[in-house]
């Protein structure tokens, strides 16, 4: 795990030169992308300002990153876990 600023820098580099799908770099890209998106989620009015986002992204960049995350998750109905959802159910259904 890296800090959020470093994760953002890595995501921006990956956007310029996308990794090979299914590679270790692709998995790292997906992890960093999720980290950046999570770190930039704006607060609702009812939430404590101390729990605010650690990254401030402009609306255009945030939408671009969310679109990339959606494309990256296409066809992965159970997320990026390499063994599918099976481990959470106590069985491996990824190879069924």
């Amino acid at each position: 795990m890296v800090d959020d600023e470093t994760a953002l820098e890595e995501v921006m580099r990956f956007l310029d030169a996308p990794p090979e799908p299914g590679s270790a770099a692709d998995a790292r890209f997906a992890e960093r992308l999720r980290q950046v998106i999570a770190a930039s989620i704006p607060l609702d009015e009812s939430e404590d300002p101390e729990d605010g986002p650690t990254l401030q992204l402009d609306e255009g960049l945030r939408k671009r990153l969310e679109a990339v995350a959606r494309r990256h998750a296409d066809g992965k109905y159970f997320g990026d876990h390499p063994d599918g959802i099976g481990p959470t159910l106590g069985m491996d259904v990824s190879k069924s």
Side-chain angles (χ1 to χ4, degrees):
M1 185 71 128
V2 298
D3 66 89
D4 295 334
E5 290 290 332
T6 301
L8 178 59
E9 290 171 10
E10 286 185 31
V11 165
M12 298 308 290
R13 281 194 303 270
F14 280 129
L15 288 176
D16 290 337
E20 181 71 31
S23 67
D26 188 47
R28 189 171 57 252
F29 170 59
E31 180 182 321
R32 299 294 190 258
L33 184 58
R34 285 189 303 271
Q35 179 181 348
V36 167
I37 290 172
S40 65
I41 295 174
L43 290 176
D44 288 334
E45 297 88 38
S46 63
E47 295 178 303
D48 185 355
E50 288 186 22
D51 295 331
T54 56
L55 288 176
Q56 301 294 323
L57 304 179
D58 67 50
E59 188 66 25
L61 178 57
R62 182 166 174 72
K63 285 183 179 186
R64 180 179 176 201
L65 294 179
E66 288 172 347
V68 169
R70 278 191 302 277
R71 281 193 309 272
H72 194 269
D74 265 353
K76 298 177 184 173
Y77 303 107
F78 303 117
D80 283 327
H81 193 284
D83 295 326
I85 195 170
T88 62
L89 299 174
M91 62 187 149
D92 185 0
V93 296
S94 66
K95 295 174 178 69
S96 299

